[in-house]
């Protein structure tokens, strides 16, 4: 659900960068503490898979897109902070190499997808995984898809209210929450089912190895 | 130093492009960026338009429809947002063409190694994924039912992870043999 460059106001992306900078610093320390011979290569190939899945995008009427992410899988295997670092790096590479997403929207995308999505995935997995492993994995994939969609829809939907001309015309993203929430979140409720199934399949496969 | 200056200039240009709201100033910025790109301008502009087309078209059409229905359509908004998105995307394309991204990550070695590994694996994964899709397409005469389509996709993903697991092990061995990881103990030092 990348937000393209140019649709978020400085009032949004400047504070988002400040917030993300602190989170990136903490994630970098966590990554260096756990750096060993297996983590880096495993993280790289999982990021590459997420990158390939994220490259397939479908525009939505609300001005954004849907795609698979693999964030639930990364979060269950590596935890939220390393996933946040990896997803941030993938988003940066996507913006700079493929022109998907952008620099001004990077912190919002990273916080929503990388931190919000992975934290929700880990929480869902820990709560439901105690009862049933597969239910926990499904919840991880579903939440990693739906929560970022809600966050991104919220950020987009407040743009007309926080950045507009004197006569009320929008300066950045033009649609309010009444449009962005259904346009972005509803498709992701369905996409999350596919992501949940993919998470069950892939993590179960990885655990058998 | 050159890469650092370009990054600072890019950041300043991005902040300016999102702080200025007069379409004439945004258009002037786009012309300046095109001039700065020199002979690369047509190629970068084509890449920019392809990258922004889908999203800008969806937002613009949605805005026109909503504006017509509500009776408050403002053409200046459409001009402003499309020039702004074009300028920002073009600036990113120009930055990518002028700055070596992996060299720019030199200040953080772990991220630099990770980015290198990810990019190499992306190439491998995309090629493998395309080959799997083409192989499946060549073996059927009509579109698969939804359930079989999902099964096929799941099989492809499992195959990708199977390869990923093997590749991760090979990369770890290659990195160890090149001294990326510190020796673990006396045995490691002897080798």
């Amino acid at each position: 659900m990348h937000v393209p460059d140019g649709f978020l106001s400085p009032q949004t992306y400047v504070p988002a960068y400040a917030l993300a900078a602190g989170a990136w610093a903490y994630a970098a320390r966590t990554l260096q503490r756990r750096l060993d011979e297996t983590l880096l290569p495993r993280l790289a190939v999982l990021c590459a898979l997420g990158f390939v899945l994220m490259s397939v995008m479908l525009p939505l009427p609300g001005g954004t897109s849907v795609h698979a992410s693999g964030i639930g899988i990364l979060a269950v295997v590596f935890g939220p902070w390393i996933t946040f670092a990896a997803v941030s790096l993938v988003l940066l590479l996507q913006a700079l190499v493929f022109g998907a997403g952008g620099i001004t929207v990077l912190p919002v995308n990273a916080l929503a997808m990388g931190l919000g999505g992975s934290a929700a995935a880990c929480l869902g997995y820990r709560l439901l995984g105690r009862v049933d492993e597969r239910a926990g994995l499904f919840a991880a994939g579903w939440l990693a898809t739906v929560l970022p969609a809600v966050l991104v829809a919220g950020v987009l939907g407040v743009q007309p209210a926080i950045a507009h001309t004197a006569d009320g015309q929008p300066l950045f993203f033009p649609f309010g929450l009444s449009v962005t929430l259904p346009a972005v979140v509803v498709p992701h409720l369905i996409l999350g089912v596919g992501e949940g199934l993919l998470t069950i399949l892939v993590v179960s496969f990885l655990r058998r190895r | 130093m050159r890469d650092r200056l370009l990054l600072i200039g890019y950041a300043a240009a991005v902040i300016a492009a999102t702080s200025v709201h007069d379409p004439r100033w945004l258009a002037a910025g786009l012309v300046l960026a095109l001039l700065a790109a020199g002979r690369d301008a047509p190629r970068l502009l084509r890449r920019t338009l392809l990258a922004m087309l889908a999203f800008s078209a969806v937002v613009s059409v949605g805005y026109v429809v909503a504006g017509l229905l509500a009776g408050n359509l403002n053409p200046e908004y459409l001009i402003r947002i499309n020039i702004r998105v074009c300028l920002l995307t073009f600036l990113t394309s120009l930055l990518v063409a002028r700055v070596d991204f992996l060299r720019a990550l030199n200040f953080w070695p772990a991220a630099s190694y990770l980015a290198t590994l990810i990019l190499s694996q992306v190439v491998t994964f995309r090629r493998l994924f395309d080959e799997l899709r083409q192989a499946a397409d060549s073996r059927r005469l009509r579109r698969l039912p939804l359930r079989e389509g999902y099964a096929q996709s799941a099989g492809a993903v499992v195959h990708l992870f199977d390869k990923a697991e093997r590749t991760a092990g090979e990369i770890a061995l290659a990195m160890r043999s090149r001294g990326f990881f510190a020796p673990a103990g006396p045995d490691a030092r002897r080798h």
Side-chain angles (χ1 to χ4, degrees):
Chain A
M1 71 218 66
H2 293 94
V3 186
D5 252 342
F7 289 107
L8 292 186
S9 58
Q11 297 96 311
T12 306
Y13 73 74
V14 172
Y17 258 113
L19 189 61
W24 283 327
Y26 185 84
R29 281 209 303 274
T30 307
L31 182 62
Q32 289 198 324
R33 272 202 305 271
R34 287 183 54 182
L35 193 63
D36 63 19
E37 294 189 22
T38 59
L39 177 68
L40 205 59
R42 283 171 67 89
L43 191 56
V45 292
L46 284 173
C47 287
L49 184 64
F51 194 109
V52 171
L53 291 173
M54 282 185 195
S55 299
V56 182
M57 294 193 292
L58 180 67
L60 293 176
T64 182
S65 65
V66 292
H67 51 74
S69 70
I71 290 170
I73 299 165
L74 290 170
V76 169
V77 176
F78 294 110
W81 288 105
I82 289 178
T83 302
F84 172 57
V87 170
S88 299
L89 202 50
V90 167
L91 290 170
L92 184 64
L93 291 173
Q94 280 187 328
L96 295 182
V97 178
F98 292 98
I103 293 301
T104 61
V105 295
L106 175 68
V108 171
N109 282 331
L111 288 169
M113 296 166 67
L115 193 55
S118 61
C122 287
L123 190 64
Y125 177 64
R126 281 180 192 167
L127 290 177
L128 283 178
R130 293 175 192 156
V131 182
D132 182 76
E133 173 78 6
R134 291 165 72 88
L137 291 173
F138 179 84
W142 191 82
L143 287 169
T145 306
V146 174
L147 185 76
V150 174
L151 295 174
V152 167
V155 170
L156 282 175
V158 298
Q159 294 308 305
I162 62 174
H164 53 75
T165 59
D167 60 350
Q169 290 293 328
L171 288 170
F172 293 89
F173 195 77
F175 305 117
L177 290 168
S178 61
V179 173
T180 58
L181 280 173
V184 178
V185 176
V186 170
H188 283 82
L189 294 174
I190 300 161
L191 185 69
V193 174
E195 193 82 31
L197 293 173
L198 188 70
T199 306
I200 293 174
L201 184 71
V202 172
V203 176
S204 301
F205 167 75
L206 288 174
R207 296 254 163 91
R208 285 201 301 271
R209 296 276 152 166
Chain B
M1 188 63 185
R2 176 186 165 273
D3 287 350
R4 196 177 299 171
L5 284 176
L6 283 172
L7 281 173
I8 292 169
Y10 169 74
V14 165
I15 291 169
T18 52
S19 303
V20 172
H21 306 306
D22 187 331
R24 287 168 297 187
W25 283 108
L26 290 170
L30 182 58
V31 170
L32 278 177
L34 286 166
L35 289 173
R39 283 186 301 179
D40 291 335
R43 180 177 61 83
L44 295 177
L45 186 60
R46 182 174 171 274
R47 177 181 166 165
T48 296
L49 293 175
L50 285 174
M52 63 175 277
L53 184 66
F55 298 103
S56 291
V58 168
V59 172
S60 298
V61 170
Y63 179 78
V64 168
V65 171
L68 288 174
L69 290 174
N72 64 349
L73 183 64
N74 182 2
E76 189 178 328
Y77 169 77
L78 287 174
I79 296 167
R80 181 194 303 124
I81 195 71
N82 282 294
I83 295 178
R84 196 201 309 274
V85 171
C86 185
L87 173 57
L88 287 167
T89 312
F90 187 84
L91 285 171
T92 304
S93 300
L94 186 58
L95 180 81
V96 173
R98 297 285 191 266
V99 174
D100 184 339
F101 177 67
L102 291 177
R103 193 185 297 165
L105 273 177
N106 273 348
F107 69 95
W108 186 9
S112 181
Y113 286 121
L114 191 58
T116 305
L117 285 176
I118 291 171
L119 285 175
S120 67
Q121 290 306 301
V122 164
V123 173
T124 306
F125 272 54
R126 291 186 101 182
R127 188 182 300 152
L128 184 60
F129 199 72
D130 283 343
E131 286 171 358
L132 286 169
R133 199 189 65 241
Q134 287 168 8
D137 287 346
S138 71
R139 283 162 175 77
R140 62 169 183 260
L141 296 174
R142 56 190 168 83
R143 185 187 289 254
L144 285 177
L146 191 62
R147 189 172 175 177
E148 289 178 29
Y150 269 104
Q152 182 185 298
S153 296
V157 172
V158 168
H159 180 68
L160 285 172
F161 265 86
D162 197 12
K163 180 172 176 56
E165 284 290 295
R166 285 199 307 272
T167 307
E170 289 168 7
I171 293 171
L173 286 173
M175 290 171 76
R176 188 197 298 166
S177 72
R178 285 159 180 78
F180 180 83
F181 300 106
D187 290 344
R189 277 199 294 275
R190 270 205 302 277
H191 293 295

